[in-house]
Structure formats: structure tokens, C-alpha cells
Amino acid sequence: MSLSDFFTIPFLVNALVGGVLIAILLSVLSLFVFVKKWSFINIGISHAAFGGLAIGFFLGVNPTITGSLFAILVGVLIGYISKKGQVHEDISIGILLSFSMALGVVVMSFSNNYNSDLFAFLFGNILTITQQDIIMILVFSVISLGFLLYNLERIMYCCFDEELAYISKVNTKFFYYSLITLIAIATVLSIKLVGSVLSSAMIILPAAVSSQLFWKYKSIILASIFISVVVVFTGIVVSFQYNLPSGSTIVIIYSLIFFIVILVKRLFIR
Amino acid sequence: MIKVENLWVELNGNLILEDISLEIKKGEIVAIVGPNGGGKTTLIRTILGFIKPTKGRVLIDGKEPKDYIKSGKVGYLPQKSSYERDFPVSALDVVMFGLVEVKISKKEKEKKALEVLRYVGMESFKDKPFGKLSGGQQQRVMIARAIISEPELLILDEPSTGVDVVAQESFYEFIKKLNQEKGITVLMITHDIGAVGSFVHKVVGLNKKLHYFGDFKDFLQKSNVDKLYGSEVKLLIHSPECFTCQYFNVEVKRH
Ligand SMILES: Nc1ncnc2c1ncn2[C@@H]1O[C@H](COP(=O)(O)OP(=O)(O)OP(=O)(O)O)[C@@H](O)[C@H]1O
Ligand SMILES: [Mg+2]
């Protein structure tokens, strides 16, 4: 099957459009997760999202909505805990994420379609993405990208040093929680693409790869977008062609690129 | 300008500051001195509103610290030894951060940033990764960032840390000039009492309690210094014959 044939299959076109949109959003958010060293918050969020999705699915409510609500709640909670620093954050995140995950699996077990639903939530299936999903992703991506790019310097300043940003009149609390909220919703959307197990990879890998290649944050954003779009596109096409799970294929390709970049850097650049 | 009234600060149950009261007038340059762990950083962080006092209060221009900060008229240099090595910003980016909420064009921001970078002698490093600069170079860039917004109140926590004598000298000259021309109030923590003595208006001697608050001349009375540090202290005041100053060809205007 040639590449042009792909564009005649409606569900594949949906998958490609949806996948690329999510990839762009995650690439931009990836920079902030990278500079804040927030991978642990993201892992907490993705597990919480899983619990939320399962509950929505079980109750017959749109799972994206319940998943997002759960993810935002847990994200804000983790953010609050790590800001106040009363309990050690690793412990609270560990407990929160195992709880949400376990809750999700228990709720899921009531469903008739236990195995296939569970598998889709854990590992994603972009080929099941609907037109309605795409519209939702499009609207959310445009709004959040607009917000992030308009406030790029402010948010970077907060990541650099929150107290200094505060002294310079930046509304640091607002940006802190906005960022967590956007990451939470984006994580829920990315579960469609790669599933909850791999969704943290999609927000950690873009900046991890491009920061090996560039050091200025604007270049890192552009490189992340470029690499992510290429990887997601390739992943979907390859997985369809060879009948592989799309999410895992994407993450494998991305991880390989990461290792190749590191290796090439070690070998040729000193 | 700054009014500290019967301030008590406890951190994790330890009493760090005990009953501090002082008033800093507009246009004054005030140095805070004292031994390590004496509570100097704690005092300025309480003045900035980052630490809530256990008792007493701080007023800046008659306002609560957080309300005064909203006016955007504060410049602050924190006491920080190093930043993330891989934080993806240039020296220029860091300086421009200081203007992020100022409504002028990007061109003008860049012009101002280059100007302050020139003041601290870091213009040629503008496009270098900030994280890869040396400690002293980072400190100079951070000083540039603190002054770029033309603050009314400049609060500096050990500005001379890691900065070489030549840069220190020109930085102090610059502080004096800012103070004389723009009338800005400067509150700075320093261990280098000798170097700032000639131009500070007041000295705060702090070691948990306020041991001294007054002008530099009286502070120099040996009993004041020894009481503050709790032991015999020899103070070095640079004279025009100072070898280091001559060696680095620093213009000495003191004495
Ligand atoms: N978060 C904290 N919790 C408990 N104690 C603290 C905290 N921060 C500082 N302290 C203690 O408060 C005291 C004063 O610290 P501070 O940093 O204000 O001193 P300093 O005068 O700035 O010292 P230096 O000259 O070393 O910078 C120290 O004994 C320190 O151990
Ligand atoms: Mg200190």
C-alpha cells in the first residue's frame, strides 16, 4: 500500500490528524516538564487519568471529561503538596497513583468488555479516534498553544526562578496551576494515542531528545514539534502497515531516536 | 520607605530573628552585616514577604510587602550559588526576564538589556548559555537582571559573592551612581564591610538580634564589631596604598 492510499481511508486520516495535533501540544508542554523536572508529576497524572477514564466509561459519561477532571484534581493536589512540602512528594504521589490505578481496574472489571477496554486505556488505540474527538482535541490544542506561546517568557521565568518572577510582577501561582491543568488535560488526550502506560513517555521524550540537539528554549520547542510530528506520523503508518499496536510503535520509534541521538553525540561531538 | 516593627521570625520552631525594629528612609544605602547564620537572608526575605513573621510586621511605602511588590518597583538579587547547568536560556534571556511584565516593545527591551549587561561587563556573553557561565559571571548577569527594571528599591543578598575585585569595584560605583542620580533605596547584605563603608549611609548589624543600627563611623568602634561577631575581629579598610587595588588598577576614591 502506498502512502497516498492511506489518505483514502477515513479512520486512518482521523488517526493521523488527531495524532499529529496531540503530538504538537505535547511537544510544547514537554519543554516545561523538562525544565521543571516534572516527570514524576506527569506519571501521577497519567495514572489518575486512567482511574477517571474507567469511572466515566462505567457510568456512561464521556470518559475524556471524567478522566480530565480526575487528572486535574490529582495534578493540582500533587502540585500543592510539592509546593507546601509537608509530606515527601514521592510518597504522596506513589499512594495517589496506585490508588487511582487500582480504582480504575476494579471499576473496569464490572464492564462486559473488560479485556479490550482495559487494553485500549492502558495502551491506547489511535485508530478508534472519532471525528468528535478530533474537534475536541483541535479546540483544546489551539486554545492551550495560544496561551502557552503568548505567555512563553513568563512561564519560562517562573520555571527559572519562581520567586524572582513573582518580584517581577508575574502571576506565578496562576501560571503554576494553569500549567499543571494543561498537562493534565493533554495527558488524558494522549491516552487515546498511546495509552496511559506510555503517555508520560510522549511528554518526556520530545524535550529530552531536542535538548540534546539545541540549548535555546525556542529551538527546543521547534525541534520537539518537528520530531514528534514525524515520529507520530511514521508510527501510525508503520503500525497500520504491519498490524502492530500504534501507541507502542510510536514510543519504540521515539525511544530509539533518543538513544541514537545520545550515541551519535557521544561518538562525534565532544 | 521600609519600616520593620518588632519583628520576630521563627523557622521550624527555631527563633531566627528576635524583636527587630528599624526604619530605612527613601534614598538611603543600607548594608546588613553579621556572622553566617545571623539571619540576614531571613530578614530580607521577610521584608519581601516570602517569610511570614511570627510577630510584628513589615511595611514598605506604607503597604504590605506583597502589595508593594505588585507595583513592580523592587529589584532583588537572591543569595544563590548556582543555577541548573542545562536550563535552556541565554544570558540575554535571563536579563530580559526582568522586563517581562513591562509594556514596551521587544526592541526596546533588548536595548535596555544590552545596556545593563554592559554595566556589568557581560555584553559579550549575551548569547552564551546562562547555565554554562562561571559562578561570578552568572552573578553579574543576575545583577543586571535585578536593575534592568529601574527599581525604586533594590535588595541585594551578597552581590559581591564570586565576583572579582575589578567587577566589584565598578558594581559599587554603579550602585552609588544609581543612588545619587535616581535616588533609589538600596538594601544590601555584605560581608565586605571595608569595601562598602565609604558609601553606605547606614549599617545594620544582625545576629538574631539587632546589635547595631546607625551610621558606618560609629559601627566601626571596635566594641560594636566585636559584639556582633562575638569575637575579636580585624577589619580591613582598603586604603589608596592597598596592594590588591593597585595591582588591579582600581581607582580608589575612599579615605
Ligand atoms: N527554612 C529554614 N528552616 C529552619 N531554619 C532555617 C531555615 N532557613 C534558615 N534557617 C536558619 O536560620 C538561620 C539564619 O539563616 P540566614 O540564611 O538568614 O543567615 P544569613 O545571615 O543570611 O547567613 P549567611 O551569611 O551564611 O548567608 C540559620 O541558623 C539557618 O540555619
Ligand atoms: Mg544569607
Side-chain angles (χ1 to χ4, degrees), chain A residues 2 12 31 34 48 74 77 81 109 112 120 132 159 176 194 238 242:
Chain A
S2 80
L12 251 183
L31 171 73
F34 172 73
V74 167
L77 210 59
I81 291 169
S109 68
N112 312 326
Q132 204 188 354
C159 295
Y176 183 77
V194 291
V238 167
Y242 298 100

Side-chain angles (χ1 to χ4, degrees), chain A residues 1-50:
Chain A
M1 196 155 133
S2 80
L3 201 56
S4 59
D5 293 336
F6 279 98
F7 294 100
T8 59
I9 309 169
F11 71 87
L12 251 183
V13 173
N14 281 347
L16 288 172
V17 172
V20 163
L21 279 174
I22 295 170
I24 294 174
L25 182 60
L26 291 177
S27 310
V28 178
L29 287 169
S30 172
L31 171 73
F32 306 116
V33 173
F34 172 73
V35 293
K36 290 289 275 184
K37 313 226 180 300
W38 260 4
S39 16
F40 72 94
I41 291 196
N42 193 247
I43 290 167
I45 288 175
S46 62
H47 284 70
F50 174 82

Side-chain angles (χ1 to χ4, degrees), chain B residues 92-110:
Chain B
L92 185 67
D93 288 332
V94 170
V95 177
M96 302 244 299
F97 277 155
L99 293 176
V100 75
E101 292 293 353
V102 177
K103 301 260 170 312
I104 53 172
S105 74
K106 215 173 158 194
K107 267 256 154 61
E108 284 173 82
K109 287 185 186 178
E110 206 168 313

